[in-house]
Amino acid sequence: MNTSRDYGMELDFLTEEVNELKQLLSQFIDLQSLHKPLHLNEFKNVVSVTEDDNDLGAIFYSGQYRGQNGFRLDPQQRNVSQLLDLDSDKGAKVLAALGNKQRLDILTTVLRGPLTGSEIVDQLNMGTTGQLYHHTKALLGADLLVQEERGGRYSLPPHRTLPLLLLLSAIVDLLDTSNYMELSEARNNAVAYLGEQHEGYDPNQLLWAVLENSVLEHEAGYCSEISLILQPDGSVTVADNGRGIPIQALPNSTKTPVQTVLTEIGHYNSSASVVAPGGLKGINMPVVNALSERLSVEIRREGKVFRQDFKHGIPQSELLVIGVTRETGTSITFRPDQDIIPSSFDKTQLIDRIAEFQTNYPNLKIQILE
């Protein structure tokens, strides 16, 4: 029996095993790094920042793109003072180029995978290649797109992929500001919603919009009682025994339907609206929220009571669980902004309006409480 050993072959085998182990360990470290923040002493080749260098501090960041042709971004440092002193003209041009809806759609589409011009046109329903050529020419010139030879597929340059993804991540965190801008515009243009009034705006117009949402719930077959409570501080509460606004976040979103209904002026769920005499635009729940110095919503459903508070339309809290209940329904309490609508609710108007509702909806009970 030949008992001699081939040490060279065994050494090669062990070397191969060690290399595979090192590779697995490296992958594990990369994966772990995605779930923990990088500490300052983990950054290599980063110059330390002292108070003399920059009183505003610095931002340290790194990243990893775990996708096709994925890569890691080496640790980076940006002094805050340098960021704030950037060339605003050039910065505005970058944001303007990406702020064009069709250009942003093109970039996010090719991020999913390289596409030909005709494929982009089909996916974005652009109709013709004329629009595509206009935008791709600008993006190619800005080094935000590359194209294969002879009119081939478009894709993002590898070195632009991660910065664009980081920018999109930041945009996601700022998306709600677009809704808040619309709310602010509603406050600055209240006349478009409330109409030109010589004796001041009528706060009852806001109340009609809130009341109509509860009436719609009755029309859907889920609400039989509505209570209107005139509070001593000038606010009013509209409470119904409907289903309660859904509280689960929408698909692919961290925002609850409650916040959507109360902050997105153009959202399809805010279809209920009242048009004030002389008003150019309908008043829906986000408009009521925007024109209120404070608004609170309480939702009773799924055995719990939920609450969220707003100021001038801006959320002041998350949707919080504040109690338990066997009831269902929604309560909206709001106080019109006294700087815009200093008048009080007119109880006589309110009684007349309720009489109209009860004539039209005999099975709906509406009561006024003080």
Side-chain angles (χ1 to χ4, degrees):
M1 179 180 295
N2 184 5
T3 59
S4 62
R5 299 172 59 183
D6 189 335
Y7 292 102
M9 181 178 295
E10 291 183 15
L11 184 60
D12 290 342
F13 177 77
L14 289 174
T15 301
E16 184 177 347
E17 290 287 299
V18 169
N19 288 336
E20 289 182 5
L21 182 60
K22 288 171 63 178
Q23 185 177 1
L24 289 173
L25 181 60
S26 176
Q27 292 175 354
F28 175 76
I29 292 174
D30 286 346
L31 182 61
Q32 291 298 104
S33 68
L34 295 176
H35 302 286
K36 69 181 184 68
L38 291 173
H39 298 288
L40 187 60
N41 59 10
E42 292 180 77
F43 285 88
K44 299 178 180 179
N45 302 321
V46 174
V47 180
S48 62
V49 177
T50 65
E51 292 185 0
D52 293 336
D53 292 328
N54 178 18
D55 291 337
L56 298 176
I59 293 177
F60 299 89
Y61 62 95
S62 181
Q64 180 170 349
Y65 172 47
R66 296 180 65 86
Q68 186 176 9
N69 301 319
F71 56 86
R72 288 181 63 87
L73 176 68
D74 290 336
Q76 305 287 320
Q77 170 188 310
R78 293 287 185 271
N79 291 343
V80 173
S81 61
Q82 293 175 338
L83 295 177
L84 299 181
D85 291 336
L86 61 79
D87 188 324
S88 58
D89 285 334
K90 291 185 177 180
K93 288 178 181 179
V94 172
L95 294 177
L98 296 175
N100 181 285
K101 180 182 184 305
Q102 288 190 317
R103 291 180 186 176
L104 189 58
D105 284 343
I106 291 170
L107 291 173
T108 54
T109 298
V110 299
L111 266 171
R112 295 182 172 90
L115 296 171
T116 64
S118 59
E119 289 172 336
I120 295 175
V121 169
D122 290 341
Q123 289 197 25
L124 298 182
N125 298 315
M126 300 181 74
T128 65
T129 58
Q131 289 180 318
L132 177 70
Y133 176 76
H134 170 74
H135 293 302
T136 54
K137 184 178 180 180
L139 294 172
L140 288 166
D143 193 32
L144 288 170
L145 273 186
V146 292
Q147 186 180 21
E148 297 172 348
E149 294 182 359
R150 299 178 182 178
R153 298 178 302 174
Y154 292 95
S155 61
L156 245 72
H159 67 289
R160 299 295 192 190
T161 301
L162 187 56
L164 182 59
L165 289 173
L166 291 173
L167 182 58
L168 293 176
S169 297
I171 289 173
V172 168
D173 289 336
L174 294 173
L175 277 181
D176 54 359
T177 62
S178 65
N179 299 325
Y180 303 155
M181 288 179 187
E182 290 183 344
L183 295 171
S184 179
E185 290 170 359
R187 291 176 53 77
N188 294 331
N189 192 28
V191 64
Y193 297 94
L194 298 174
E196 193 72 55
Q197 303 293 329
H198 298 295
E199 299 180 358
Y201 297 130
D202 180 6
N204 282 40
Q205 298 298 330
L206 303 183
L207 180 54
W208 306 152
V210 179
L211 182 59
E212 184 176 328
N213 277 269
S214 294
V215 172
L216 286 177
E217 186 75 348
H218 170 71
E219 289 181 337
Y222 296 101
C223 169
S224 61
E225 295 183 8
I226 302 174
S227 296
L228 303 179
I229 307 169
L230 297 174
Q231 308 286 1
D233 63 355
S235 63
V236 63
T237 299
V238 179
D240 65 48
N241 65 345
R243 292 166 291 182
I245 303 172
I247 48 86
Q248 296 298 329
L250 301 171
N252 302 318
S253 173
T254 58
K255 186 184 297 186
T256 63
V258 180
Q259 190 164 321
T260 297
V261 166
L262 289 171
T263 60
E264 295 190 15
I265 288 180
H267 195 270
Y268 63 90
N269 281 338
S270 300
S271 57
S273 64
V274 170
V275 179
L280 301 176
K281 300 179 180 180
I283 303 172
N284 54 23
M285 287 304 303
V287 173
V288 174
N289 201 6
L291 298 180
S292 298
E293 70 178 43
R294 67 176 185 273
L295 182 147
S296 298
V297 57
E298 288 191 6
I299 300 159
R300 301 174 296 280
R301 64 180 291 154
E302 300 179 12
K304 299 177 182 178
V305 181
F306 302 85
R307 177 182 173 123
Q308 188 167 16
D309 297 320
F310 299 81
K311 180 180 180 180
H312 298 156
I314 309 301
Q316 302 299 297
S317 67
E318 300 293 330
L319 184 64
L320 304 174
V321 178
I322 62 170
V324 296
T325 183
R326 294 182 179 179
E327 300 177 350
T328 61
T330 301
S331 297
I332 300 286
T333 300
F334 72 96
R335 185 171 190 258
D337 191 325
Q338 300 301 290
D339 291 335
I340 301 175
I341 312 173
S343 303
S344 301
F345 292 102
D346 187 326
K347 187 176 180 180
T348 301
Q349 279 193 53
L350 187 54
I351 292 173
D352 292 342
R353 190 60 173 262
I354 288 176
E356 292 178 14
F357 275 121
Q358 293 192 316
T359 299
N360 296 327
Y361 305 100
N363 295 323
L364 176 61
K365 178 182 178 182
I366 305 179
Q367 59 181 339
I368 303 176
L369 304 174
E370 289 187 84

